[in-house]
Structure formats: structure tokens, C-alpha cells
Amino acid sequence: SMEIILLERGRYISYANCGLPYHLGEVIPNRDSLFVMKESKFKSWFNVDVRTENEAVSIDRVNRTVRVRKADGEEYTEKYDKLLLATGARPADLAIPGIKDPRIHSLWTVPDMDSLSELVHKGAKRAVVVGGGFVGLEAAENLKGLGIEVTVLQHSTHVLPSLDREMAYILSEELASSGVDVRLNSEVKSFSSRGQELLAVLSDGTEISTDLVVMSVGVKPNSELASSAGLEIGPRGHIIVDEYLRTSDADIYAAGDVVEVVDMVAGIKTAIPLAGPANKQGRIAADNICGGASKYSGSYGSSVIKIGGLTAASTGLTEARVKQLGLKYHRVYSHPVSNASYYPGGAQLHMKLLFGEDGVILGAQIVGRKGVDKRLDVIGTAMQSGLRAPDLARLELAYAPPYSSAKDPVNFLGMISENILSGKTDPAYADSIPDDAVVVDVREPAERELGFIPGSINIPLGQLRARCGELDKSKEIIASCQVGLRGYLAERILKQLGYRAHNLSGGYLTWKYMNSEVQLPVRPVKHENAENAQTMPAAAHSVDVRALACPGPVVRIKSEMESLKSGERLKVTAAESFGPDLEAWARSSGNVIENIEVLEDRLEAVVRKEDVTGIAAGAQSDSAAIVLFSNDMDKVMAAFIIACGMAAAGKKTGIFFTFWGLSVLRRNPVPESGEKDAVSKAFGLLLPKGVDGLSLSKFNMFGIGLRIMKEVMHKKNTASLHDLIRQARDLGVKFVACEMAMDILGIRREELIDDVDEVAGVASFVAMAGSGNALFI
């Protein structure tokens, strides 16, 4: 029975503002789908008198009236008992020359969208998007999806201000890989016309020719009506309200993008123009207008966006904001997989958590292809419930292999946080490595070949205890791995051995994101001759390497490529994060990636085999040799992993087995080979008989450690030593037994397995190494 009048100065009410970029890109094909509530339904369902194209132009607080202007200019007055101001915000203006050109638009309202759509349908081929916030990035993605050449201009060091730079880098990389030209630290000075061309002129004098421009440089509140009525306004122009959403006039309420709210983390006033908070405020204001006492406590600013195949989400404060506020804090980087690693379809998550010295969660950021929104919402809920960072470790979250791991990525963040607060780990960070610190890369050599921190030294984790004497105890040691787990283990080992050790949080991956060039190259993802892409022959062969552990994927791809003829194609299905490794392998092997596409749960690529005869000559070393001196199972595995990686990269690789390394080549049982002297018989008894007789260099414990190691390898889907030897042979790795060592140990040729290519001396090793790489294990 209440009389409710809704005044709207535009032509539409209740439309999906957030869906505008997606209709522009034809992802949402039906324009009418954007209209959530028509005027007639609002009237019939809720008895609301909706008046579109009726603008409130002034408020008389004394007489409690509103002056209204209709579209034809006629004005009238309406009385109110209670008044709600939900006037929202509008795109910020850039007062620069040429901004009024009809080809330049914001993307904020339905008419904005319609104007841009008209330009697209008239044949626009090029677009410039000014601003890399939510709307700008969504517009860029959707315009690119229509086949338009898109340039994004962002005035700061990174896109999407709700993320920190190293997290936003991943989004810029995604845009670049799809062909969007991302230009950071770029500012528009003016627009001008040259004939039919529209030119965007940058502050450095660069001119960009375009057919349309989308302006997305932020928003400002529509608070002029409130200000002219004498209501209290904040320093940035927002209406000040209390927890009941009342303004400084008890009969006037305000909600949405026009109001100032409390930042629930910092405890200070701020503005958060997001749809979620605005909707909740509308409900609360309605309750209180009708006599209720609902409270709006504030906002955490939780947000999410889709960019290409990536999702980026955040809540709370960014690190930049934390520093600005002068808060003391810790940070954690983690790069787990969205679901169990052995279940196909998992995707890597890039996570950042900020928390105070008391464990209070200050903010979180997550970027990835799968499961991002779920994890961010869990953390946001934990923040609103008063949980602290270590409490994330104890959350009981749903688990099944297609969806998560038994320890969810959110649990990992809690565990790392707890380790920091309890002193179990002292993290180091990629943006503040001391100049005199020693960075120890504890990854395997095959991983390091695909990128490493300059100046770091490589001691694989399995060798660290034996080789820690190579490190200077007077120096700070920073252990680094790929994502942070092995680095933590290395830190713990070194600390207990008396070193001043730290773990590089987030490992090499975070270091790469922090230290990559600001200007990102556009990586082509189509066939190298784009005009003929539609007629390119389909791949005749395919391989799926998603469930293989390193170096399994490149070994399998190499094996498949060996069976192809020059010019034939192989379709590769891999984990979504395998792209850089595949590209590095293709460069080193001389094969060509014709097409690469990252989907929601996987990477798909087409690789064409090239005739690589002599391709490496003069460009890189085409041979590699390994001296295997050890019969420790873990060291032998390392030798074969490296050998397989080198061979898969196209190097002519050989292993020179000498002294105890000859054990790997022994038959089991050893055949009778004539009489031997006592020393030779003794060596024969002491030396292991083949790979099944090898033990671990550390943690063997009379074979118990070896059994544990093999069980762990099986669970992690790691290739066994037998498998690695077979892979090495399949890849053409040459096996040479040292003649001199065989003579000293009394080992005869018939005692060795058939896979041995030759028994020779050091000259053969020298010839095998050539001018290439030689490793001693």
C-alpha cells in the first residue's frame, strides 16, 4: 500500500551494466537479455510508479519535495516522506583535445554500447581502449574476439589496479598472447583526425591510428544533487552516510556507487563502486526506510574478472595500499594446482596472501584458469568471519580429485602463514633479494634450463645435504625452487646445518613475474601464415602429456616427433602452464609451433616437424656428454633425467659409465665369464648388480628409505629408473662403458647389458662431448 515513485533520467531501468561488454562482443547475442526488469513488471509485481526520462534536478529539504524535469523540458514537483538517492557514478572525463569525436565513447550505459556496436558493424578494424580497469579489459577482450585489432593504453605500470603488479603481469601476458597490444606507462595527450583516420596521440609523441576508442579511466560519483541540497559530502565527492545508510538528513538515505563506505580491513572511509555492495545497500536502505534497523558495516571490495582464459579475483587491500597505509605485514606467494595433480584438467593457481603480524588477513589475490572464484570467496568469507591467516589451514573444504587436492590451495596458504608466524620459515622476496646473498636454485638441471635467476647456483634438493659444504656460512642463503615448496625444504635443511637461510616465496615463477619486462611481446597463437590457417592440414598424430611428471612431457613429445616425417604435425595436449616449456623445447629442437591455445583446463598446440639436420651447427652446442661415476640410485636417476632432457632438446647425448657407475650396466644375475683373481671377485661381490641393486646416497636406512622413495615416486607418477633408461635409449642416448675402469674392477663385456653401445676409453668420451656440454655425476 506504500506509494513508491522511481525517477530515472535515462530510458532504461534495471539493466545488466556488467553485461554490456559481452553483448558488444556478441558473447551475449540477445540485447534484450540485458534488461532484468521491465517497467511494466515493476509496476505489476511491486506497485512501483516507474518514470523514465524524468530527472530529479533539485531537493527542497525543508518542504521535503523534489523538483523533476521531464524529457520535453516540463518540470513538476513531487513530495516525499523518505527519499533515497541512488544516483550512482559516471565515467570520469579526460579534458583533452579531440575527446568529443563521435568515434570516442565510454562503455557505461546501453546507449554507449549501442554506439560502439554501430561502429563495429560499420566495419571498424582497429580499436584503442584507454584504461586497463575492469571495463577496459573486458571491452578489449570482447573487441578482440570480433577480430578487431586492439591496443590497450594504461597510464601506470600494470593493468587492473585491484591487483599488485606481479599478479597483474599474468593478465598482461594473457592479453598479449591473444594478440592484444598492451602498452603500459602510456598516456593519451590528445585525439585528432587525419582524413578519415582517428589518431590517438600519446604523451611521447606516438600516434596510433584507430576506428573507435573506448574510454575507461575510472568513475566519479553523481553527487551534485545531494551537494546542492546541502547534504554532507566526502573529500572525493561521495555522499557520507551512517551505518543505516542515512545521510546528514534523517529523512534522506543514499546507496550504491554514490556513497562513501567503510573499508572493513583498514577501518577508514573509502569508495568501492561494485555491483555486489550496491545491491546489498539497496536492500538495507529499503529495510530502514520501512522502519527497520538493518546495518551496513562496510565492504572488503571482493571482485572477479575474466580475461581470455584467465580469471583474476581479489579481496581486501593490495600490497601497494598496505604500504600506503603504513601497516606492518607479511606476504605469501603460492602456485598450487586447482585439483589433484594426477587428475587431468588441473590448472595452476597464482595466489598472494597479505596478513598482519597478528595473523589478521589484509587481502588476497588469485589468478588462474580454474577454481579461482571458489578460493577467493573462501578467503573473503574467512575475513568476514574474523578468521586469521593460520586458520585457513584448518578449514574443512570439499575434496575430490576433479575439484581439489586433499590439502586445498587455501589450506596451503594457511600452512605457510602459520610457518611464518611461528618462525619455521623466514621468507625472502623476489623484489628485495640482498645484493650479497647467495641464491641457491634447488631445482633439477632440466628445469633450470628453461629459465633461472641470474647469478644463482644450482644444487638440486636431493644433493643439498651432501654439497652444502660448497656454501659460505657467512653469507645469507636464499633457497629458490619453481614455486616455493622445495625452497622451504631447503631452507629447513640449511638452517638445521647452521646456515642463515631463507626461502624465496613463490620461487622462480614469482621472480619471473616480478622481473619481466613491462612491455610484453605479442606471442602469435595462429598459424604462421594466418591467411592460410583455415586450410592448414590437420595434425595426423596426437599426444596427451598432462599426467606426466618432468621430464616426461618433453621426452614423450620428442619420441612422438621422431616417428613423424618432416612436415607432419603433432597435436599436443598438456597442462595449461606447459606453454613456456613447449616453446623453449621447440626453439632448442628446431621444430615449429604452428598454433597454441590455452583452454579452460588444458593447453592444445600443433607442432610441425622440421628437418633439423645440422640446424644447431654454429647456433648452439649440438652434443652433450655425462660422466656417471656414482651407483647411488638418486644420482643415477638425475643423470638419466638430464640425459633425456638434453636428447629431447635435440642434442646428441651420451653417458660415459665409469667405476661405480658401471653398476648400472651390469646384468642380474651376472653370467659366468671365466676365472677372476681375488680382487676382481671381491669387486664383483661388492658392486650392485644392475639398477635394482642400487641404494640411496642419503636416507637409505638399509633399504627402507629406498622403498619409501619408490612408493613416493609411484604416487607422484614419476618415471622409474627402468623407465628412464628405456626413454634414454628410445631418444638415442649413447651408452659407453669405460674400458679402463672395467679392467681395474675386473668387469668383462659379457657381464654388461646389451644396451651398451661400446666399451672405450676417454678419447671416446672427448669425441662424444665435442664442443658441447660435459657433466660429471
Side-chain angles (χ1 to χ4, degrees):
S1 62
M2 183 181 288
E3 182 186 14
I4 305 169
I5 299 172
L6 176 62
L7 303 175
E8 166 57 46
R9 70 179 177 187
R11 292 182 306 204
Y12 309 101
I13 64 163
S14 194
Y15 60 84
N17 178 279
C18 297
L20 299 181
Y22 299 101
H23 176 66
L24 176 64
E26 300 179 1
V27 176
I28 300 173
N30 188 349
R31 183 176 179 274
D32 288 343
S33 300
L34 300 175
F35 297 96
V36 180
M37 180 69 72
K38 298 291 180 67
E39 297 172 39
S40 57
K41 184 184 288 187
F42 224 46
K43 178 68 175 177
S44 64
W45 281 25
F46 302 112
N47 194 28
V48 173
D49 181 0
V50 178
R51 303 177 187 175
T52 56
E53 297 187 288
N54 278 244
E55 180 182 3
V57 294
S58 65
I59 301 169
D60 182 345
R61 292 167 54 196
V62 175
N63 296 306
R64 293 199 289 187
T65 61
V66 176
R67 190 70 180 166
V68 185
R69 181 184 299 133
K70 298 198 295 186
D72 60 7
E74 180 187 345
E75 293 190 1
Y76 66 95
T77 299
E78 279 290 349
K79 291 189 65 64
Y80 68 83
D81 297 314
K82 300 292 181 181
L83 178 64
L84 172 64
L85 300 178
T87 47
R90 64 183 182 275
D93 296 323
L94 279 185
I96 60 175
I99 193 69
K100 299 300 184 181
D101 190 288
R103 292 165 289 185
I104 301 173
H105 297 275
S106 299
L107 184 52
W108 195 251
T109 64
V110 171
D112 291 337
M113 178 192 70
D114 291 341
S115 297
L116 287 167
S117 293
E118 185 178 355
L119 290 170
V120 169
H121 292 142
K122 283 182 177 179
K125 301 297 183 184
R126 298 161 298 176
V128 167
V129 176
V130 182
F134 288 100
V135 176
L137 294 184
E138 289 171 346
E141 177 189 356
N142 281 278
L143 289 169
K144 185 62 184 177
L146 295 175
I148 293 173
E149 182 182 313
V150 180
T151 300
V152 174
L153 304 176
Q154 172 66 13
H155 75 279
S156 65
T157 61
H158 65 278
V159 298
L160 204 63
S162 59
L163 301 182
D164 289 311
R165 180 190 178 279
E166 68 277 14
M167 303 298 287
Y169 169 87
I170 308 168
L171 300 182
S172 295
E173 191 177 50
E174 178 76 2
L175 287 164
S177 70
S178 69
V180 174
D181 184 2
V182 182
R183 302 196 186 188
L184 306 175
N185 298 305
S186 296
E187 194 165 350
V188 177
K189 184 179 179 180
S190 66
F191 294 101
S192 63
S193 295
R194 185 169 60 199
Q196 297 299 313
E197 283 186 300
L198 172 62
L199 298 177
V201 183
L202 308 189
S203 55
D204 64 359
T206 302
E207 294 182 347
I208 302 174
S209 179
T210 184
D211 300 314
L212 65 87
V213 174
V214 179
M215 297 297 299
S216 178
V217 292
V219 297
K220 59 187 300 183
N222 290 319
S223 57
E224 291 80 5
L225 184 64
S227 178
S228 63
L231 298 178
E232 189 176 356
I233 303 295
R236 295 176 58 193
H238 298 83
I239 302 173
I240 293 177
V241 294
D242 64 13
E243 61 188 345
Y244 301 102
L245 299 177
R246 289 180 305 209
T247 68
S248 53
D249 185 318
D251 292 323
I252 302 178
Y253 293 75
D257 293 359
V258 75
V259 306
E260 198 175 71
V261 300
V262 174
D263 182 317
M264 290 299 291
V265 180
I268 59 177
K269 291 284 189 175
T270 189
I272 301 179
L274 294 171
N279 274 268
K280 296 172 182 64
Q281 290 164 22
R283 176 185 173 90
I284 290 169
D287 283 346
N288 296 333
I289 286 172
C290 294
S294 298
K295 294 181 180 180
Y296 184 76
S297 301
S299 177
Y300 289 87
S302 297
S303 64
V304 66
I305 185 173
K306 172 190 173 295
I307 300 296
L310 288 176
T311 300
S314 66
T315 189
L317 305 177
T318 62
E319 186 176 1
R321 182 63 172 149
V322 169
K323 288 180 177 178
Q324 190 179 61
L325 294 171
L327 303 177
K328 294 183 178 180
Y329 69 100
H330 296 284
R331 54 177 159 155
V332 164
Y333 295 97
S334 182
H335 305 277
V337 179
S338 61
N339 52 257
S341 59
Y342 55 82
Y343 186 90
Q348 193 165 43
L349 295 166
H350 308 284
M351 310 177 78
K352 180 177 184 178
L353 183 73
L354 302 166
F355 56 96
E357 294 184 325
D358 56 359
V360 170
I361 302 172
L362 302 176
Q365 301 165 42
I366 309 176
V367 180
R369 300 186 183 279
K370 191 176 180 182
V372 170
D373 53 340
K374 167 185 173 180
R375 272 65 186 219
L376 193 282
D377 286 342
V378 168
I379 296 171
T381 302
M383 293 171 70
Q384 294 184 52
S385 303
L387 298 184
R388 305 195 174 211
D391 296 324
L392 299 177
R394 290 173 279 280
L395 292 178
E396 185 175 333
L397 304 174
Y399 161 62
Y403 304 104
S404 182
S405 53
K407 292 189 288 289
D408 189 85
V410 172
N411 296 142
F412 279 125
L413 290 177
M415 293 170 185
I416 300 169
S417 303
E418 191 170 44
N419 287 346
I420 291 174
L421 293 175
S422 65
K424 289 187 178 70
T425 182
D426 296 306
Y429 298 100
D431 55 356
S432 56
I433 297 175
D435 292 336
D436 59 347
V438 177
V439 179
V440 180
D441 188 338
V442 298
R443 298 175 299 165
E444 296 301 317
E447 296 175 273
R448 185 176 166 87
E449 286 182 4
L450 301 177
F452 58 88
I453 299 173
S456 62
I457 61 174
N458 187 209
I459 303 179
L461 182 63
Q463 302 176 24
L464 187 59
R465 288 182 174 87
R467 294 178 56 189
C468 65
E470 300 173 22
L471 303 175
D472 186 347
K473 282 194 174 182
S474 68
K475 299 279 191 180
E476 278 192 280
I477 308 297
I478 296 178
S480 170
C481 63
Q482 186 69 10
V483 297
L485 174 59
R486 284 170 289 175
Y488 168 68
L489 300 177
E491 177 196 12
R492 297 289 296 158
I493 291 168
L494 291 171
K495 275 183 174 177
Q496 294 177 56
L497 293 173
Y499 291 86
R500 291 185 297 138
H502 308 270
N503 175 31
L504 186 65
S505 184
Y508 171 74
L509 201 54
T510 296
W511 181 91
K512 185 177 73 170
Y513 293 154
M514 281 189 177
N515 292 279
S516 295
E517 291 294 325
V518 172
Q519 292 293 345
L520 294 162
V522 177
R523 186 178 72 192
V525 296
K526 299 298 183 184
H527 181 250
E528 53 195 7
N529 185 349
E531 294 180 358
N532 296 329
Q534 299 299 319
T535 59
M536 183 179 72
H541 307 269
S542 62
V543 61
D544 189 331
V545 297
R546 283 178 288 178
L548 300 180
C550 181
V554 290
V555 169
R556 180 68 184 279
I557 292 168
K558 166 71 174 177
S559 174
E560 293 289 336
M561 291 297 286
E562 288 289 342
S563 66
L564 303 184
K565 298 177 182 177
S566 180
E568 289 188 324
R569 295 167 174 82
L570 176 69
K571 179 182 178 182
V572 176
T573 303
E576 53 86 21
S577 59
F578 186 62
D581 286 353
L582 180 62
E583 290 175 342
W585 172 83
R587 283 193 298 271
S588 63
S589 65
N591 294 295
V592 174
I593 298 176
E594 292 189 328
N595 190 72
I596 186 167
E597 184 177 6
V598 179
L599 305 176
E600 182 179 353
D601 59 350
R602 66 192 183 281
L603 175 147
E604 290 186 356
V606 175
V607 184
R608 186 181 73 235
K609 183 172 181 177
E610 291 289 284
D611 183 359
V612 296
T613 304
I615 200 166
Q620 64 177 40
S621 301
D622 63 349
S623 60
I626 297 172
V627 178
L628 183 56
F629 182 83
S630 173
N631 63 12
D632 293 325
M633 192 269 276
D634 41 351
K635 295 177 183 178
V636 172
M637 283 197 68
F640 279 91
I641 289 172
I642 295 169
C644 289
M646 288 177 167
K651 295 182 182 292
K652 297 176 182 178
T653 306
I655 303 178
F656 189 75
F657 299 82
T658 186
F659 285 95
W660 320 121
L662 288 166
S663 303
V664 179
L665 301 180
R666 297 186 77 200
R667 295 180 183 272
N668 186 20
V670 176
E672 291 293 330
S673 57
E675 287 294 320
K676 292 186 178 181
D677 58 34
V679 175
S680 296
K681 288 181 179 179
F683 276 128
L685 292 172
L686 291 172
L687 286 173
K689 298 177 180 65
V691 295
D692 292 324
L694 306 186
S695 60
L696 290 176
S697 60
K698 303 291 182 184
F699 197 62
N700 190 54
M701 299 188 302
F702 303 100
I704 297 174
L706 180 64
R707 289 197 298 273
I708 294 173
M709 175 67 79
K710 289 182 177 180
E711 289 176 7
V712 171
M713 287 168 57
H714 178 71
K715 290 179 180 178
K716 297 291 185 181
N717 200 29
T718 303
S720 69
L721 185 49
H722 284 286
D723 291 334
L724 287 169
I725 292 173
R726 185 175 63 254
Q727 287 179 5
R729 295 303 292 165
D730 291 341
L731 289 165
V733 175
K734 188 176 182 180
F735 289 6
V736 178
C738 176
E739 186 177 32
M740 178 195 69
M742 289 177 62
D743 185 57
I744 292 173
L745 299 177
I747 299 175
R748 298 175 180 173
R749 178 63 180 87
E750 56 267 29
E751 296 178 47
L752 304 181
I753 59 177
D754 294 334
D755 285 323
V756 176
D757 294 290
E758 63 179 288
V759 175
V762 69
S764 292
F765 165 74
V766 172
M768 189 163 57
S771 60
N773 303 298
L775 303 176
F776 185 92
I777 298 178

Short mmCIF file of all heavy atoms in Angstrom, two decimals, residues 687-715:
data_model
loop_
_atom_site.label_atom_id
_atom_site.label_comp_id
_atom_site.label_asym_id
_atom_site.label_seq_id
_atom_site.Cartn_x
_atom_site.Cartn_y
_atom_site.Cartn_z
N LEU A 687 79.95 -54.70 -5.87
CA LEU A 687 79.22 -53.84 -6.80
C LEU A 687 77.77 -54.31 -6.96
O LEU A 687 77.52 -55.52 -7.08
CB LEU A 687 79.89 -53.84 -8.17
CG LEU A 687 81.20 -53.05 -8.30
CD1 LEU A 687 81.81 -53.30 -9.67
CD2 LEU A 687 80.95 -51.57 -8.09
N PRO A 688 76.81 -53.38 -6.95
CA PRO A 688 75.41 -53.76 -7.21
C PRO A 688 75.27 -54.39 -8.59
O PRO A 688 76.00 -54.06 -9.52
CB PRO A 688 74.66 -52.42 -7.14
CG PRO A 688 75.54 -51.52 -6.35
CD PRO A 688 76.94 -51.94 -6.66
N LYS A 689 74.33 -55.32 -8.69
CA LYS A 689 74.08 -56.00 -9.96
C LYS A 689 72.90 -55.34 -10.65
O LYS A 689 71.75 -55.71 -10.46
CB LYS A 689 73.82 -57.49 -9.71
CG LYS A 689 74.99 -58.22 -9.07
CD LYS A 689 74.65 -59.66 -8.79
CE LYS A 689 75.82 -60.39 -8.15
NZ LYS A 689 76.15 -59.85 -6.81
N GLY A 690 73.19 -54.32 -11.45
CA GLY A 690 72.13 -53.63 -12.20
C GLY A 690 71.37 -52.62 -11.35
O GLY A 690 71.66 -52.41 -10.17
N VAL A 691 70.36 -52.00 -11.96
CA VAL A 691 69.66 -50.88 -11.33
C VAL A 691 68.85 -51.30 -10.11
O VAL A 691 68.65 -50.51 -9.19
CB VAL A 691 68.74 -50.18 -12.35
CG1 VAL A 691 69.56 -49.54 -13.45
CG2 VAL A 691 67.72 -51.14 -12.94
N ASP A 692 68.41 -52.56 -10.06
CA ASP A 692 67.61 -52.99 -8.92
C ASP A 692 68.43 -53.15 -7.65
O ASP A 692 67.88 -53.26 -6.55
CB ASP A 692 66.89 -54.31 -9.23
CG ASP A 692 65.82 -54.13 -10.29
OD1 ASP A 692 65.16 -53.07 -10.29
OD2 ASP A 692 65.65 -55.03 -11.13
N GLY A 693 69.75 -53.15 -7.78
CA GLY A 693 70.60 -53.30 -6.61
C GLY A 693 71.12 -51.98 -6.06
O GLY A 693 71.86 -51.96 -5.08
N LEU A 694 70.72 -50.86 -6.67
CA LEU A 694 71.22 -49.56 -6.22
C LEU A 694 70.53 -49.11 -4.95
O LEU A 694 69.38 -49.46 -4.67
CB LEU A 694 71.01 -48.52 -7.32
CG LEU A 694 71.56 -48.83 -8.72
CD1 LEU A 694 71.38 -47.63 -9.63
CD2 LEU A 694 73.02 -49.23 -8.65
N SER A 695 71.23 -48.31 -4.17
CA SER A 695 70.67 -47.74 -2.95
C SER A 695 70.73 -46.22 -3.01
O SER A 695 71.34 -45.65 -3.91
CB SER A 695 71.43 -48.25 -1.72
OG SER A 695 72.79 -47.86 -1.81
N LEU A 696 70.09 -45.55 -2.03
CA LEU A 696 70.09 -44.10 -2.00
C LEU A 696 71.40 -43.57 -1.41
O LEU A 696 72.01 -44.20 -0.54
CB LEU A 696 68.93 -43.57 -1.15
CG LEU A 696 67.52 -43.75 -1.73
CD1 LEU A 696 66.49 -43.27 -0.73
CD2 LEU A 696 67.36 -43.01 -3.04
N SER A 697 71.81 -42.38 -1.85
CA SER A 697 73.02 -41.77 -1.29
C SER A 697 72.76 -41.27 0.13
O SER A 697 73.65 -41.28 0.97
CB SER A 697 73.46 -40.60 -2.17
OG SER A 697 72.45 -39.61 -2.24
N LYS A 698 71.55 -40.85 0.42
CA LYS A 698 71.15 -40.40 1.75
C LYS A 698 69.82 -41.04 2.11
O LYS A 698 69.01 -41.36 1.24
CB LYS A 698 70.99 -38.86 1.77
CG LYS A 698 72.23 -38.09 1.34
CD LYS A 698 73.36 -38.22 2.35
CE LYS A 698 74.57 -37.41 1.91
NZ LYS A 698 75.71 -37.59 2.82
N PHE A 699 69.59 -41.24 3.41
CA PHE A 699 68.29 -41.71 3.88
C PHE A 699 67.99 -43.13 3.39
O PHE A 699 66.84 -43.52 3.27
CB PHE A 699 67.20 -40.73 3.39
CG PHE A 699 65.89 -40.86 4.13
CD1 PHE A 699 65.82 -40.62 5.49
CD2 PHE A 699 64.73 -41.22 3.46
CE1 PHE A 699 64.61 -40.74 6.16
CE2 PHE A 699 63.53 -41.35 4.12
CZ PHE A 699 63.47 -41.11 5.47
N ASN A 700 69.05 -43.93 3.13
CA ASN A 700 68.80 -45.27 2.63
C ASN A 700 68.25 -46.18 3.72
O ASN A 700 67.33 -46.95 3.49
CB ASN A 700 70.08 -45.87 2.04
CG ASN A 700 69.82 -47.17 1.30
OD1 ASN A 700 68.98 -47.20 0.40
ND2 ASN A 700 70.50 -48.24 1.66
N MET A 701 68.85 -46.11 4.91
CA MET A 701 68.38 -46.85 6.09
C MET A 701 68.20 -48.34 5.80
O MET A 701 67.12 -48.90 5.98
CB MET A 701 67.08 -46.26 6.63
CG MET A 701 67.21 -44.81 7.09
SD MET A 701 65.73 -44.21 7.93
CE MET A 701 64.49 -44.45 6.71
N PHE A 702 69.29 -48.96 5.27
CA PHE A 702 69.29 -50.39 4.96
C PHE A 702 68.16 -50.77 4.00
O PHE A 702 67.61 -51.86 4.07
CB PHE A 702 69.18 -51.23 6.24
CG PHE A 702 70.28 -50.94 7.24
CD1 PHE A 702 70.04 -50.11 8.33
CD2 PHE A 702 71.55 -51.46 7.06
CE1 PHE A 702 71.04 -49.83 9.24
CE2 PHE A 702 72.56 -51.17 7.96
CZ PHE A 702 72.32 -50.35 9.07
N GLY A 703 67.83 -49.87 3.12
CA GLY A 703 66.84 -50.16 2.08
C GLY A 703 65.45 -49.65 2.38
O GLY A 703 64.60 -49.60 1.49
N ILE A 704 65.20 -49.23 3.65
CA ILE A 704 63.86 -48.73 3.99
C ILE A 704 63.58 -47.42 3.24
O ILE A 704 62.51 -47.21 2.67
CB ILE A 704 63.74 -48.52 5.51
CG1 ILE A 704 63.90 -49.85 6.25
CG2 ILE A 704 62.39 -47.88 5.86
CD1 ILE A 704 63.94 -49.72 7.75
N GLY A 705 64.58 -46.52 3.25
CA GLY A 705 64.42 -45.24 2.55
C GLY A 705 64.20 -45.43 1.07
O GLY A 705 63.44 -44.69 0.44
N LEU A 706 64.88 -46.45 0.50
CA LEU A 706 64.72 -46.73 -0.92
C LEU A 706 63.29 -47.14 -1.23
O LEU A 706 62.70 -46.69 -2.21
CB LEU A 706 65.70 -47.83 -1.34
CG LEU A 706 65.66 -48.24 -2.82
CD1 LEU A 706 66.09 -47.08 -3.70
CD2 LEU A 706 66.56 -49.45 -3.06
N ARG A 707 62.73 -47.99 -0.37
CA ARG A 707 61.34 -48.42 -0.59
C ARG A 707 60.39 -47.23 -0.49
O ARG A 707 59.44 -47.10 -1.28
CB ARG A 707 60.96 -49.52 0.40
CG ARG A 707 61.64 -50.85 0.12
CD ARG A 707 60.93 -51.99 0.84
NE ARG A 707 60.96 -51.83 2.29
CZ ARG A 707 61.95 -52.27 3.07
NH1 ARG A 707 62.99 -52.87 2.53
NH2 ARG A 707 61.90 -52.10 4.37
N ILE A 708 60.64 -46.36 0.50
CA ILE A 708 59.80 -45.16 0.66
C ILE A 708 59.89 -44.28 -0.58
O ILE A 708 58.89 -43.79 -1.10
CB ILE A 708 60.21 -44.37 1.92
CG1 ILE A 708 59.92 -45.20 3.18
CG2 ILE A 708 59.48 -43.03 1.98
CD1 ILE A 708 60.45 -44.58 4.46
N MET A 709 61.14 -44.10 -1.06
CA MET A 709 61.36 -43.28 -2.24
C MET A 709 60.59 -43.84 -3.43
O MET A 709 59.93 -43.10 -4.19
CB MET A 709 62.85 -43.20 -2.56
CG MET A 709 63.18 -42.47 -3.86
SD MET A 709 62.80 -40.71 -3.81
CE MET A 709 64.23 -40.14 -2.87
N LYS A 710 60.63 -45.14 -3.64
CA LYS A 710 59.95 -45.74 -4.77
C LYS A 710 58.43 -45.60 -4.65
O LYS A 710 57.73 -45.40 -5.65
CB LYS A 710 60.36 -47.21 -4.92
CG LYS A 710 61.80 -47.38 -5.41
CD LYS A 710 62.16 -48.84 -5.58
CE LYS A 710 63.58 -48.99 -6.14
NZ LYS A 710 63.96 -50.40 -6.33
N GLU A 711 57.91 -45.71 -3.40
CA GLU A 711 56.48 -45.53 -3.19
C GLU A 711 56.05 -44.10 -3.52
O GLU A 711 55.03 -43.87 -4.17
CB GLU A 711 56.11 -45.88 -1.75
CG GLU A 711 56.20 -47.35 -1.42
CD GLU A 711 55.91 -47.64 0.03
OE1 GLU A 711 55.51 -46.72 0.77
OE2 GLU A 711 56.07 -48.80 0.43
N VAL A 712 56.86 -43.13 -3.05
CA VAL A 712 56.55 -41.73 -3.34
C VAL A 712 56.61 -41.46 -4.83
O VAL A 712 55.74 -40.79 -5.40
CB VAL A 712 57.54 -40.80 -2.59
CG1 VAL A 712 57.36 -39.36 -3.04
CG2 VAL A 712 57.33 -40.91 -1.09
N MET A 713 57.62 -42.03 -5.51
CA MET A 713 57.74 -41.85 -6.95
C MET A 713 56.52 -42.41 -7.66
O MET A 713 56.00 -41.81 -8.62
CB MET A 713 59.01 -42.52 -7.46
CG MET A 713 60.29 -41.79 -7.08
SD MET A 713 61.77 -42.78 -7.38
CE MET A 713 61.60 -43.13 -9.13
N HIS A 714 56.05 -43.56 -7.19
CA HIS A 714 54.87 -44.18 -7.81
C HIS A 714 53.64 -43.28 -7.63
O HIS A 714 52.87 -43.06 -8.58
CB HIS A 714 54.63 -45.55 -7.19
CG HIS A 714 53.40 -46.24 -7.72
ND1 HIS A 714 53.33 -46.75 -9.00
CD2 HIS A 714 52.19 -46.46 -7.15
CE1 HIS A 714 52.13 -47.28 -9.19
NE2 HIS A 714 51.42 -47.10 -8.08
N LYS A 715 53.46 -42.74 -6.40
CA LYS A 715 52.31 -41.88 -6.14
C LYS A 715 52.37 -40.60 -6.95
O LYS A 715 51.35 -40.07 -7.37
CB LYS A 715 52.24 -41.55 -4.64
CG LYS A 715 51.85 -42.73 -3.77
CD LYS A 715 51.81 -42.34 -2.30
CE LYS A 715 51.43 -43.53 -1.41
NZ LYS A 715 51.44 -43.17 0.02
#
